[in-house]
Amino acid sequence: MNPVPRFATFANVFIPFASLLTGANLCAEAGINPVPAALAGDPHLKGLLAGNPTFARVMYSIWITFLFATPAVGLFLLFDIRRAAPVVHRYWLLLWSFGFVAYAIHSYFATVVWFESDFAQIVERQSLPVVIVNYVLLAAWGVEVVASVALGQGGGGVWLHRLQWFTHLLFLAAAIVAAVVFYHSGTTPKAGFSLLLGVALIAFAAFAIVGRIFWREPASGQ
Amino acid sequence: MSLTHPIFGIVRGLAFVVALAGLGLTVALVVLERTWDAENRPMATDAEAFVLGSIGTELAPVVAFETLPELFPDEFHPIDAFLKSQGVADRSAGDWIDQFGFIRQTQAPNPRGDMQLPVGFVVSRHRPGSGAGSPIPFVGLSCAACHSGEVRLDPDRPRTAHYGIGNATMNLLAFSEALRGLLVRRVDDSDPKSEYRLTLQAIVDVQAKRGRTLTMWEKTFTALWIRGARAEAGGYRNVIDEPYPPQRLFDPRFMMAGPNRTQPFRSLVRIHLDRPGWSDRGHRMDQGFSKVPAVYHQDPEYHGEWAQFDGSVNDLTARSTLAASTAGGNVHNLSRPDIASHILGAAEYTRRLAPPKWDDTFPEHALTAEQRALAAGAGAEAYRKHCGHCHGEPAGAGWTWDKQSPKNLFGAVLPLSAIGTDPERVEFRHANEVSREVAEKFGAGFRKNHPLATFKWDADPSRTNLRSTGGYYCGPIAGTFLRAPYLHNASVLTLAELVGLEPRRAKFYRGRNGYDPVKVGLASPDVPANVDRNNPKPRDRNHYFVFDTAERGNSNRGHRYPAWGHFHDDEPAKLTDAQKAELRALIEYLKTI
């Protein structure tokens, strides 16, 4: 089997990432709700009179985080990523890394632009446990991505693998709680879309776990 | 063709370049957007904040607003359209500034030579709604748009305006209805499927005729504004109805508020509860008209704890924020540092703002020594006897009240049964709900330490700063002679009628009324017997709005002090000479405070 060229793999993940981020920013700027009308149920495109573009960026960037991290979590749970085929590892790492980039962008717009780095206000609005989880995830995810990229597949030993498990499970738990519990009562299209992303994440994770348990050779991905 | 075919590599490479470029543009846009806000700086002084500061009420891009009178001549000449529809031949009522009753920049106390827009119209780099930075300027409003007035002795002879009084000629609701209407107006009014009249191309064409070519940003943001504003107008249409056509904008059968008045609670219910604003007295729309008030002496030291005609708000900042919210302010745009500072600055400006003196306002009618003596003697005594325990009294440049007097009612809310004025303003549906919603929306919406985060609601009246009172507030009346027409619904034209020296007119004309320095208030020609609320035929371009006090929300009853001046609802009191003299002295006194 021919190895997948590095540029092709990178481009396959980067192109949708860059396109989605560009589209999300333009939608936020122009006040366009990117959720399709069928999902949104809102025929009005309020343009400049729509909600705050900064808040839209906060929301759309977390959606992009979900879109990239969800398949990464699925791959991570399905395979032993240390021993998986290089192509699996590469896609996992790219998806997980761009998911992190989206999450970092989300955190920047939320913390620095929306809350103007007013941490007391962030704690007031989000509660201390949520704030701690958010920033621990940001830090751990960042360290893990840098280490995973730098050390390559199988590098870093046990500590990196434990860190990978920690960040994936923390993301999974935090994302499910955020999407399913926090938005559970939401009736707006945006809340509905967040719920959908949460459900998709649960489905991916459940499928991967079931696959890992019952699939005889999940670790290699061959 | 296999996935390893070179064509896929080429396509992937091109897509990569495009995606990279898109990402680069995204970063550039985010960085650029931060520079758009650079021009949105707080005003240097509180007075400037009141007159020149945006309060989150951006209406339209400047490039679009400039073209509207040309694109929509009917909407921007609604008095002419109304006169024509009623067969009244008269000269034009002027340009749109005259017709909607705004104050021309040349009449401002400190005119801005670089500004063509009326007093209280501002230009900012904020987008409507979010208040986010904009690469192109937008036209918006400041506090001065409503709270400035020009008091003309002769309707056709302009005079210098004053800051702080309610604009007696401005028809804000007609103006906003006109703006809403032009967004949804079609090229062919009879064909709802025809093209909209307001398009980017139409704006571009009008500007091109003036030799102006729109920039890429102007085109982009104008197109986005049109789409957003039209969507919002559509949402409004679902709650209220189709906007009225131009010939109905000044017809009191349709736009019933008329000059100088708004429907504040209908606006609050519509904006904050997204409901149409019905009366609590039956199956009918709320007609709680409210005069645009004077905003002198707003500090609690002068004004008492509560404010608004019904005493429903007790915090000066909350009051200003609430006023801005009825004209487009929301937690997003009001959170912007410069807009928040304008709200605070304007509120601060009104704390101790005092009215001009009678002699400075009308030097040609300066008080004689005899009038001054009458005012200081019998007039002051009559005021203390009949007015002072509710309205307090002047104290230097400020205001005060007798806090020790058992008769003192200053700062209290008089129930409807006691004061007897028109009830519509305080009997609207969802009164408590809207107070709570507003307080919670602004309370939760602003950051904890944000200077405008002063709203709090509690069922306990002692712990809330928004409440529904069901009555009217006894507050200060500095600059009484500039507060005409009188009562909260502007239903009494002169002080002579208010105190009972003259019978209160059942019908009169509103528009650009002249000032009556004898009866102290607005002058109006008599209204013919066959003209009333069902046949509100305009008289001329200055007297077009027939104010019929028989209309719901327009009642001129109540506030009958002294009681002997008003012994019967429909028949004026038969006053003795001594009583007449006392009332004349009272009016002289009221000119001086």
Side-chain angles (χ1 to χ4, degrees):
Chain A
M1 182 179 159
N2 293 327
V4 178
R6 283 183 179 273
F7 172 73
T9 328
F10 182 81
N12 288 347
V13 181
F14 174 78
I15 291 167
F17 174 79
S19 305
L20 283 169
L21 203 61
T22 303
N25 188 60
L26 289 176
C27 284
E29 199 70 53
I32 296 169
N33 185 346
V35 180
L39 266 177
D42 179 6
H44 299 306
L45 300 173
K46 291 197 173 178
L48 290 191
L49 280 73
N52 196 307
T54 299
F55 188 73
R57 287 190 186 116
V58 171
M59 177 152 273
Y60 301 160
S61 55
I62 198 67
W63 288 354
I64 295 174
T65 305
F66 267 70
L67 289 173
F68 283 82
T70 295
V73 168
L75 289 173
F76 186 83
L77 293 177
L78 183 61
F79 299 107
D80 178 351
I81 215 68
R82 291 171 300 181
R83 289 191 287 274
V87 65
V88 172
H89 179 269
R90 206 170 298 152
Y91 272 110
W92 162 78
L93 186 56
L94 284 165
L95 289 164
W96 189 236
S97 299
F98 280 114
F100 168 73
V101 172
Y103 187 63
I105 291 169
H106 164 79
S107 300
Y108 167 76
F109 278 113
T111 305
V112 179
V113 184
W114 183 252
F115 283 113
E116 294 172 348
S117 304
D118 182 348
F119 287 94
Q121 184 66 28
I122 296 171
V123 171
E124 168 82 15
R125 288 296 164 94
Q126 298 185 340
S127 82
L128 190 59
V130 170
V131 172
I132 289 172
V133 168
N134 284 345
Y135 291 116
V136 166
L137 177 63
L138 180 68
W141 197 349
V143 170
E144 188 236 292
V145 162
V146 170
S148 297
V149 170
L151 299 174
Q153 186 174 16
V158 176
W159 72 268
L160 179 57
H161 195 53
R162 284 184 179 159
L163 182 60
Q164 287 167 342
W165 270 104
F166 174 74
T167 52
H168 282 73
L169 293 180
L170 184 61
F171 171 79
L172 189 61
I176 289 171
V177 169
V180 180
V181 179
F182 288 174
Y183 289 108
H184 176 70
S185 60
T187 55
T188 65
K190 286 177 182 174
F193 190 64
S194 298
L195 180 64
L196 188 72
L197 290 172
V199 170
L201 178 62
I202 293 170
F204 259 77
F207 175 78
I209 290 168
V210 169
R212 186 152 187 166
I213 291 170
F214 293 104
W215 190 12
R216 284 178 176 274
E217 297 179 353
S220 68
Q222 300 293 330
Chain B
M1 192 161 55
S2 116
L3 285 173
T4 56
H5 193 280
I7 193 74
F8 286 108
I10 294 169
V11 169
R12 187 185 286 119
L14 286 173
F16 183 84
V17 170
V18 170
L20 196 61
L23 206 54
L25 284 173
T26 300
V27 173
L29 193 59
V30 170
V31 172
L32 196 61
E33 191 190 297
R34 306 214 94 180
T35 67
W36 296 342
D37 244 347
E39 286 187 36
N40 294 320
R41 286 187 293 269
M43 293 294 156
T45 65
D46 293 340
E48 285 181 359
F50 182 83
V51 179
L52 304 171
S54 165
I55 51 171
T57 56
E58 275 65 26
L59 303 170
V62 171
V63 288
F65 195 81
E66 287 170 345
T67 65
L68 298 181
E70 200 163 330
L71 287 173
F72 299 93
D74 294 336
E75 276 82 352
F76 278 75
H77 293 84
I79 297 176
D80 293 349
F82 178 45
L83 294 176
K84 189 178 169 191
S85 74
Q86 298 299 306
V88 175
D90 198 29
R91 285 188 284 149
S92 169
D95 63 10
W96 70 273
I97 297 175
D98 295 319
Q99 303 230 359
F100 287 107
F102 294 113
I103 299 166
R104 206 167 284 285
Q105 193 61 232
T106 49
Q107 306 316 123
N110 42 356
R112 295 184 62 199
D114 59 334
M115 185 70 156
Q116 300 299 314
L117 294 166
V119 172
F121 280 63
V122 299
V123 173
S124 80
R125 295 271 179 161
H126 287 292
R127 305 180 203 181
S130 69
S134 163
I136 67 168
F138 275 78
V139 175
L141 300 176
S142 72
C143 299
C146 294
H147 299 289
S148 301
E150 196 187 338
V151 188
R152 297 183 180 186
L153 286 164
D154 177 339
D156 290 326
R157 297 189 67 184
R159 292 171 79 96
T160 301
H162 302 282
Y163 295 137
I165 59 177
N167 186 339
T169 56
M170 175 195 64
N171 195 326
L172 188 66
L173 295 192
F175 180 65
S176 87
E177 187 85 349
L179 289 183
R180 199 161 64 83
L182 59 86
L183 287 163
V184 295
R185 191 163 180 193
R186 306 276 180 170
V187 171
D188 179 354
D189 289 332
S190 63
D191 178 7
K193 299 290 183 193
S194 63
E195 292 292 311
Y196 285 112
R197 189 172 291 203
L198 182 65
T199 61
L200 175 62
Q201 192 56 50
I203 292 166
V204 167
D205 290 346
V206 172
Q207 290 287 11
K209 281 183 199 163
R210 300 174 174 183
R212 171 99 149 73
T213 305
L214 267 57
T215 64
M216 180 267 290
W217 285 123
E218 286 171 336
K219 286 181 182 172
T220 304
F221 270 69
T222 300
L224 289 170
W225 168 75
I226 290 172
R227 194 185 62 183
R230 185 164 289 143
E232 190 173 77
Y236 189 101
R237 181 169 51 189
N238 292 342
V239 178
I240 301 293
D241 207 342
E242 204 77 31
Y244 283 124
Q247 68 273 17
R248 290 188 174 183
L249 293 176
F250 281 72
D251 188 330
R253 287 169 298 190
F254 300 99
M255 293 294 290
M256 305 171 83
N260 189 220
R261 301 198 301 176
T262 61
Q263 286 181 267
F265 289 98
R266 188 179 171 200
S267 300
L268 284 176
V269 169
R270 180 180 64 76
I271 292 165
H272 295 292
L273 298 180
D274 204 20
R275 293 172 198 168
W278 285 71
S279 169
D280 206 28
R281 299 186 106 202
H283 186 69
R284 61 194 193 193
M285 292 300 291
D286 166 61
Q287 287 182 206
F289 304 117
S290 188
K291 180 171 70 170
V292 176
V295 289
Y296 299 126
H297 292 163
Q298 295 295 302
D299 191 282
E301 182 189 339
Y302 298 159
H303 202 285
E305 191 185 354
W306 294 85
Q308 307 285 41
F309 285 115
D310 60 347
S312 56
V313 192
N314 81 343
D315 176 87
L316 184 54
T317 304
R319 199 181 313 165
S320 300
T321 307
L322 194 64
S325 85
T326 61
N330 58 44
V331 287
H332 296 293
N333 55 42
L334 291 170
S335 291
R336 294 269 152 182
D338 60 312
I339 294 178
S341 85
H342 297 157
I343 297 285
L344 292 167
E348 207 56 40
Y349 176 69
T350 63
R351 269 188 193 281
R352 291 167 196 283
L353 182 65
K357 301 292 182 195
W358 172 277
D359 287 1
D360 296 332
T361 310
F362 304 117
E364 54 274 76
H365 294 283
L367 298 176
T368 62
E370 189 184 349
Q371 284 174 305
R372 287 188 183 286
L374 187 61
E381 189 183 332
Y383 179 83
R384 279 193 289 274
K385 193 161 63 174
H386 304 303
C387 316
H389 57 281
C390 281
H391 289 300
E393 59 191 35
W399 202 262
T400 191
W401 64 97
D402 187 350
K403 300 172 181 75
Q404 307 304 321
S405 168
K407 289 176 68 180
N408 175 59
L409 286 170
F410 187 94
V413 171
L414 285 188
L416 274 176
S417 56
I419 193 165
T421 47
D422 189 278
E424 285 287 324
R425 192 184 184 288
V426 292
E427 292 191 340
F428 59 96
R429 204 171 169 201
H430 308 304
N432 279 315
E433 194 180 344
V434 77
S435 299
R436 185 176 188 153
E437 175 71 18
V438 167
E440 288 183 350
K441 187 185 281 185
F442 283 115
F446 288 123
R447 286 170 206 156
K448 193 178 179 186
N449 300 322
H450 193 276
L452 300 186
T454 60
F455 286 86
K456 58 178 187 286
W457 188 90
D458 197 295
D460 178 351
S462 67
R463 292 203 302 237
T464 190
N465 64 11
L466 278 180
R467 62 180 183 177
S468 166
T469 64
Y472 292 101
Y473 184 70
C474 301
I477 53 171
T480 302
F481 70 95
L482 290 168
R483 293 175 184 252
Y486 298 98
L487 294 186
H488 73 273
N489 60 353
S491 59
V492 179
L493 280 184
T494 64
L495 279 179
E497 293 162 81
L498 186 71
V499 301
L501 185 62
E502 301 268 340
R504 293 182 182 176
R505 277 169 274 195
K507 296 180 292 185
F508 50 84
Y509 289 107
R510 287 289 288 113
R512 195 174 286 283
N513 304 57
Y515 194 86
D516 184 337
V518 178
K519 293 178 182 173
V520 185
L522 300 186
S524 166
D526 290 335
V527 178
N530 66 333
V531 173
D532 57 22
R533 60 183 170 149
N534 299 314
N535 176 36
K537 197 174 180 66
R539 185 176 191 271
D540 56 46
R541 68 190 192 288
N542 286 322
H543 306 93
Y544 46 80
F545 186 90
V546 174
F547 193 111
D548 188 340
T549 58
E551 182 61 73
R552 200 157 50 84
N554 285 2
S555 171
N556 63 355
R557 294 188 178 188
H559 193 279
R560 297 180 179 278
Y561 311 109
W564 45 256
H566 308 271
F567 73 92
H568 194 284
D569 277 338
D570 301 316
E571 191 181 334
K574 292 180 173 55
L575 301 175
T576 64
D577 288 345
Q579 288 172 327
K580 286 180 183 171
E582 186 175 345
L583 293 179
R584 285 197 188 99
L586 174 60
I587 291 170
E588 290 305 324
Y589 176 76
L590 289 170
K591 288 181 186 174
T592 66
I593 63 175

